Amino acid sequence: MTSPALSFAAKPTLVGKRVLLRPVTAADAPELVELLKEPEVRRLTGTHGQVRPGALERAEQWYSSRAAEDDRLDLAVVEQAAGEYVGEVVLNELHADNRSCSFRIALVGPRAFGRGYGTEATRLILAHAFETVGVHRVELEVFAFNPRARHVYEQVGFVHEGTKRQALHWQGAWVDTQILAVLAGGWSRHRGFPRFSE
């Protein structure tokens, strides 16, 4: 018996208590450009260089094309109370045969940090990946100078698997990249709350 084909063709809206995740649109492009201009966001994502002229047009084109992709899922993170875009979550690098994909999240910076948006958005999209799409493994990479993010990832069930030593050269220093993953079996036990499943 073969498994059904794995796909991110369906673009859901996922509703939490603090945030709503919905498909990105061209109208979100100005906020994406602002996110990319934020120095702390650029550091935490290891983004070299500066935002170049024409960034808004490129962002509009990028966000407009996401609905057609079946090997990735790009969702805007929207703060429920104000209805404001505060970042994006992405499942990408889908490997259908291995039932695996990668995950990344970027929030707009200090105004979105420390409010639980990232934690809730991560739980929502992981629930979709495991419980609706049927992936077996979701992995991510996080830089060693971002312990806050690693704490959030571990809080929702990601497990550290290894380290790529000196993988990022940032402002004259070498920074390790840490590899974390969560598997379907673990998710089915804790559903994003591993501390309460032990």
Side-chain angles (χ1 to χ4, degrees):
M1 184 170 146
T2 58
S3 299
L6 211 63
S7 172
F8 290 135
K11 310 299 182 188
T13 295
L14 308 173
V15 181
K17 293 179 181 176
R18 293 185 181 104
V19 298
L20 172 142
L21 307 184
R22 59 157 174 77
V24 295
T25 69
D28 297 317
E31 285 81 7
L32 174 61
V33 172
E34 288 307 309
L35 183 151
L36 296 173
K37 287 180 179 177
E38 176 66 45
E40 184 67 354
V41 171
R42 297 177 67 73
R43 182 180 79 87
L44 296 177
T45 58
T47 305
H48 295 285
Q50 298 299 316
V51 175
R52 299 185 322 256
L56 179 58
E57 292 77 15
R58 286 190 300 277
E60 287 172 342
Q61 185 177 33
W62 175 256
Y63 268 0
S64 293
S65 68
R66 300 304 84 203
E69 303 297 324
D70 65 359
D71 63 346
R72 61 182 292 139
L73 178 60
D74 299 72
L75 300 178
V77 180
V78 178
E79 194 270 320
Q80 287 260 43
E84 293 180 354
Y85 172 107
V86 292
E88 64 172 16
V89 288
V90 178
L91 295 174
N92 61 0
E93 298 176 359
L94 178 66
H95 194 295
D97 291 334
N98 291 333
R99 306 190 76 75
S100 65
C101 67
S102 295
F103 166 75
R104 68 178 175 79
I105 182 169
L107 298 178
V108 294
R111 73 182 172 95
F113 292 165
R115 298 176 184 265
Y117 301 156
T119 304
E120 185 175 64
T122 302
R123 284 189 177 116
L124 286 169
I125 201 164
L126 288 177
H128 176 73
F130 289 116
E131 299 167 23
T132 302
V133 178
V135 301
H136 177 73
R137 172 186 171 87
V138 178
E139 69 178 45
L140 62 83
E141 295 185 353
V142 62
F143 297 118
F145 57 37
N146 194 355
R148 180 180 62 223
R150 179 172 170 175
H151 172 74
V152 169
Y153 300 142
E154 291 176 336
Q155 188 177 4
V156 301
F158 280 91
V159 175
H160 181 256
E161 295 186 333
T163 300
K164 294 187 337 188
R165 296 175 299 151
Q166 299 183 6
L168 173 71
H169 192 249
W170 190 259
Q171 297 182 343
W174 289 104
V175 181
D176 292 345
T177 299
Q178 299 161 350
I179 302 164
L180 290 84
V182 60
L183 304 179
W187 182 265
S188 69
R189 284 190 306 276
H190 59 67
R191 300 196 73 234
F193 295 88
R195 286 185 302 173
F196 302 110
S197 68
E198 297 170 352

